[in-house]
Amino acid sequence: MLKYYSSLICIASLSLFATPAEAWWNHFLFNRPALEAMPELVSAPKVKVESLEDFLLKEQDKLIPLMRDMEKEANLNYDKNAPLPEALAFKGGDRKTIRNHFLRALRLNTGTPLGYFLQNLPGDPLPGKKSDPMTVSIYGEKDLKQDYEFYDIRIGELVSPLEVLATAGDEPDFGLDLNLFEDNGESFGKDYGFGIQSFGDSKVYYATQVPFHIGYYHESPIIFAAAGFLTRTYPQYRVYQFMTLSRYAFQTGHTYWGYRFLGWGLHYVGDLTQPYHSRVLPNFGTISMLWINLKAILGFETAKNEAIDRISNRHTTIEKYHFSTLRNAYKSKNLTHPFIVSVKQTDLDNGYGNYDNSYIVNVVTKQSYDISDRIDTLIDESNLLNGFSEGKLLPEINQKSLGDLDSTITEHMKSVGSHIRNYVRTGLK
């Protein structure tokens, strides 16, 4: 029996040791057009940039009970396996300590810069001073890879809510969820109560955030029964935390932080629209996974290693292809590209219903799971792995199948736009 369970645990881990931590690469490029389709957001008055310390110092007396109640609710529904340790409960502070206390109470990486910046669309003139990458991401250019362009904004400056929200939708990829587990090498990871990293490579920095950005809710019951650690994921927890803080910030007149917190929560909704963040191994059934891992347990690991490479390469390639296509469209001012147009379409919004606590599982990840086999198949049929490199299509590409892949992504991004707007509408109520 132990050997059987070990086999399934190995199965469930296949795609996770090498899976990239990102979902869609640069959410801003599709967040922004999706949000442009919300008149209430486009017409919203500009908001004054406020420092995090000013917000926390002014509201700490009310944030203390709010965050205590928030964690109690989260423990009942979203983080049952990892309740907040009592020692981390938010207790306020002074200007020098309150940011650290706040981030620890949220169980975030306390080294995340949380600077004041907005992202710029590719090909547009930079509206302000180019941001230092170290004020954006915890690892600076190592994370940003020259694929993003940011400009500084100043405390007290009036800025567009749409730009704040669209930019903040990328921020959780810049450090918030890195190294939060006991085996990630950071002192706070030993305090946070998440235990040993449930899956993903705990020694690779960008993979330490995987359990916060992936949601496997629709795998076979036999997989969940044997590999319960697959349920130790926290995107719903993060969305709940940031939605709660966003609503409080709006209610108390801190509109800049209302939009920024809302954007942080939006990131996880966007991540879970990525098929490889909602399915362990597309195009592999339970029996196939059992067979691969039985062979691995017997010492024949070729099939397992091939599966790891297969899923990792497809995950990375589809992200790079989607990002490069959007970036090139913006640079060439091709704003009628189907990937851009589709995410703006609103005719599906009402059909999905209002965003609520079940939306991520019942709507977002179910849809991503259901489309994963087709995306995976079309990556093969289009020869995208060999026909796409450095943002360019090569002669090896199968143009007909690539057209089918583009059509599938286009249709999916129409739904992605709806999920983005439905989440934001709920946050703005």
Side-chain angles (χ1 to χ4, degrees), residues 95 149 264 300:
R95 185 166 290 275
E149 191 175 66
W264 290 4
F300 303 100

Side-chain angles (χ1 to χ4, degrees), residues 67-127:
M67 293 178 68
R68 181 188 62 234
D69 292 344
M70 176 179 77
E71 290 299 332
K72 286 181 180 178
E73 174 69 18
N75 187 37
L76 291 174
N77 295 292
Y78 308 119
D79 68 338
K80 297 177 183 179
N81 297 311
L84 180 75
E86 178 58 34
L88 295 179
F90 184 62
K91 298 179 176 66
D94 57 28
R95 185 166 290 275
K96 290 183 179 180
T97 62
I98 198 164
R99 174 190 288 222
N100 184 269
H101 293 170
F102 179 67
L103 295 180
R104 283 176 62 83
L106 291 171
R107 291 188 280 182
L108 300 169
N109 189 310
T110 57
T112 310
L114 300 182
Y116 302 94
F117 53 81
L118 294 174
Q119 190 170 167
N120 195 46
L121 282 173
D124 282 0
L126 200 64

